[in-house]
Amino acid sequence: MAVVTRAGAAGLGRATGVMALGSAVSRATGFLRTAALAAAIGFGLVGDAYNTANLLPTLIYELLLGGLLSSVVVPLLVHARRRDGDGGDAYTQRLLTLIVVAVTAVTLLAVLAAPALTWLYGIRDDPAQVALTTLLTRIMLVEIVFYAIYGALGAVLNSRGVFGPPAWSPVLNNLVVIGTCVAFVLLRGAGELTPAGMPAGGAWLLGIGTTVGIAAQAAVLLPALRRVGLRWRWRFDWRAAGLAEAGRLGAWVLVDAAISQAGYLVITSAANTAGRASGVGSAVYANAHLLLQMPYGIIGVALLTALLPRMSRAAAAGDTAGLLADLSLGSRLTAVALVPVTAALIVLGPALSTVVFARGEVSPASARTVGTVLAVSAFGLVPMAIGTLQRQVCYALKDARTPAWINAAMAAVLVPACLLVPRLLAPGHVVAGLAVAYGGVQLVGLVLGRLWLRHRFGPLGSGRVGRTVARLALLSAFGAAAGAAAVAAVTAVAGRGVPGSLLAVLAGTAAGLAAGWLAARFVHIPEVRAMSDLVRARLTGRHAS
């Protein structure tokens, strides 16, 4: 069985290697981008204004297309390539045209509704913050169109077995935003940064710079599209073009996305309200969530992106055994990668965030607040990744209704919990409470997805996944204990500033890895060996057998 696991991991690794590397570089530059933004605008009212304005185009895009492009569209494009005589080219061109036209119309409406949107997300009481957020929002909502183009082209490339360019293109976006931050710091000069004291042209610089970054991220995919033999051609012959199936599946994905955005609306509004009272608001939550998403974006998203076309082909061929085998493999490899990362984030979160954020407008104490939120929410990382993978099985089967029902059940837990948090906790602790609620609801989604899969397919071999997770948790606990001891010792001597936190991160990482490696000599985990064989084969230029 271990041999099969290594062979499957090798095949999947060949599909995800360049994508994971691109994602790693993208996330690394995103790390620098996040640090640059924090240093330039801080976590106060200006930070909350920028975060809300930057969040809105992302949320609207996800509501309209994000889930559709990442789940439903790839299977449809794969089926069209198998079905149509032209390899699905005309179908793809019609779909791209429809997406751009529809999203452009919605973007124009969103720009007009900017004041209402910012109010809805909790930007209300401070007139200067309201004006700043509204201006930033109107500029940055244009990003919706470029997000849609990037997502659509990425889906087309993924459906044709090309994963590298979509993984690498965000690097350009990050570099543009970092340059924008440098220019903003030079423009504003010294002194406290407040919404009322925003320098002339400062909001326009931030808004336009951020939007140009997204536009560049989309534009660099056009050459890759030509390399796979597809030209961007406007086609408006949508009737009888085979897009009805996309509409039927897309309706459920829209429902799913709307439910997700309702939950995030409650979180953001509560965080913005808490931020005005305590200084710990939506910018703190967003940056902690971004750090949490970094390992998931490098590992989890790479696995999901590579597995969805495979699962779609298995579903189209009626190969249920292959479909479930990919699910099991993906779940176990996700656990191998992310269970140790979860332990590391819990132990190193405050020190890590100090190293990343404590400069410019952000004090070490404010930076550690981000790390605390990161640490208390890290337990939701693995359930989120595996739960998302489970829902990909539904999309591979062209079933968009089940994920929507699962998401509705998750929202039924999340929304009341987030409304309750501000009533139970002081304003300074509200954001941490919201993060715990979000992590907890990922466990709910994982359990519900597993129950549905068992109902649909019968026994799933969950015991194998469970044993892998349990053994990894044991190893990670040894590593976490050693890392926590090292962090405490270093912090007691070197303090909690940036130098001391950097030493704590290095010492905690080294101690955790050493303890985990020693424990691994006594706990046999086939998937760890398979992953190690794959990495070793890549380094030596051979394929794992």
Side-chain angles (χ1 to χ4, degrees):
M1 187 66 71
V3 174
V4 173
T5 299
R6 290 196 297 273
L12 184 58
R14 287 191 293 272
T16 61
V18 66
M19 182 168 46
L21 178 60
S23 295
V25 176
S26 172
R27 297 288 170 165
T29 54
F31 209 66
L32 297 176
R33 162 196 166 133
T34 301
L37 279 168
I41 62 178
F43 295 150
L45 294 182
V46 173
D48 285 351
Y50 177 90
N51 173 68
T52 303
N54 194 39
L55 180 67
L56 280 167
T58 305
L59 294 181
I60 294 172
Y61 162 73
E62 290 295 334
L63 176 62
L64 292 174
L65 279 174
L68 187 69
L69 291 174
S70 65
S71 54
V72 171
V73 168
V74 171
L76 290 177
L77 291 172
V78 170
H79 281 265
R81 281 179 61 78
R82 290 168 56 95
R83 180 191 65 222
D84 298 346
D86 65 348
D89 286 359
Y91 181 91
T92 300
Q93 290 163 346
R94 293 185 187 101
L95 195 59
L96 290 174
T97 302
L98 178 60
I99 286 170
V100 173
V101 171
V103 167
T104 300
V106 172
T107 299
L108 293 174
L109 294 175
V111 170
L112 295 176
L117 291 173
T118 57
W119 183 91
L120 193 63
Y121 279 84
I123 302 294
R124 298 169 188 169
D125 297 333
D126 186 301
Q129 188 191 34
V130 170
L132 174 62
T133 309
T134 301
L135 175 58
L136 286 171
T137 300
R138 281 184 164 146
I139 299 170
M140 294 162 72
L141 281 171
V142 179
E143 295 172 10
I144 298 171
V145 176
F146 299 119
Y147 274 127
I149 294 173
Y150 166 76
L153 296 183
V156 171
L157 292 172
N158 290 344
S159 72
R160 296 176 181 231
V162 177
F163 300 101
W168 282 91
S169 60
V171 173
L172 180 58
N173 171 28
N174 293 330
L175 294 176
V176 170
V177 176
I178 290 170
T180 299
C181 292
V182 172
F184 179 79
V185 170
L186 295 175
L187 174 66
R188 67 168 293 257
E192 182 182 5
L193 182 64
T194 64
M198 177 66 68
W204 285 95
L205 174 60
L206 288 172
I208 292 175
T210 305
T211 303
V212 168
I214 303 299
Q217 174 179 299
V220 296
L221 295 185
L222 290 172
L225 194 69
R226 289 194 292 270
R227 284 196 295 272
V228 299
L230 182 68
R231 297 282 178 176
W232 183 293
R233 178 183 171 190
W234 297 99
R235 297 188 69 126
F236 297 93
D237 52 334
W238 300 332
R239 289 189 175 184
L243 297 178
E245 186 178 29
R248 287 193 300 271
L249 295 172
W252 280 108
V253 174
L254 287 176
V255 171
D256 191 7
I259 294 169
S260 295
Q261 301 320 316
Y264 214 80
L265 185 154
V266 174
I267 291 175
T268 305
S269 181
N272 277 328
T273 300
R276 289 192 295 273
S278 66
V280 181
S282 66
V284 170
Y285 183 93
N287 281 284
H289 194 67
L290 187 146
L291 291 181
L292 180 67
Q293 290 283 330
M294 184 170 295
Y296 174 69
I298 295 172
I299 301 165
V301 171
L303 281 169
L304 286 172
T305 305
L307 277 172
L308 182 56
R310 283 172 48 142
M311 292 191 295
S312 298
R313 286 191 289 270
D319 182 10
T320 301
L323 180 65
L324 296 181
D326 277 340
L327 171 63
S328 177
L329 175 62
S331 298
R332 286 179 279 116
L333 293 182
T334 296
V336 168
L338 295 183
V339 169
V341 169
T342 297
L345 293 178
I346 292 172
V347 172
L348 302 177
L352 177 63
S353 65
T354 302
V355 174
V356 175
F357 295 120
R359 58 187 54 84
E361 291 289 319
V362 181
S363 67
S366 295
R368 290 186 73 84
T369 301
V370 177
T372 300
V373 174
L374 172 64
V376 300
S377 62
F379 73 94
L381 180 60
V382 173
M384 176 179 66
I386 297 180
T388 303
L389 179 60
Q390 290 175 167
R391 290 191 286 276
Q392 296 303 311
V393 174
C394 303
Y395 294 126
L397 295 166
K398 297 196 285 187
D399 172 13
R401 180 173 60 180
T402 298
W405 281 111
I406 292 174
N407 204 15
M410 294 169 66
V413 176
L414 178 64
V415 171
C418 291
L419 293 174
L420 190 60
V421 164
R423 298 179 180 275
L424 298 178
L425 301 177
H429 300 296
V430 164
V431 168
L434 295 171
V436 171
Y438 183 83
V441 84
Q442 303 308 312
L443 289 169
V444 175
L446 174 64
V447 172
L448 291 175
R450 209 71 187 175
L451 290 174
W452 178 84
L453 288 168
R454 184 177 179 84
H455 172 74
R456 174 74 182 266
F457 297 109
L460 301 171
S462 300
R464 188 177 182 190
V465 176
R467 286 191 297 273
T468 299
V469 172
R471 291 169 180 169
L472 286 164
L474 180 62
L475 295 184
S476 299
F478 279 106
V487 168
V490 170
T491 301
V493 175
R496 294 186 172 185
V498 173
S501 295
L502 178 58
L503 290 174
V505 169
L506 295 175
T509 301
L513 288 174
W517 180 79
L518 287 173
R521 297 176 67 86
F522 301 96
V523 181
H524 177 62
I525 304 178
E527 290 77 15
V528 173
R529 183 181 174 188
M531 187 76 81
S532 300
D533 288 349
L534 172 61
V535 173
R536 189 179 303 112
R538 283 191 165 277
L539 292 176
T540 59
R542 298 191 301 270
H543 293 309
S545 59

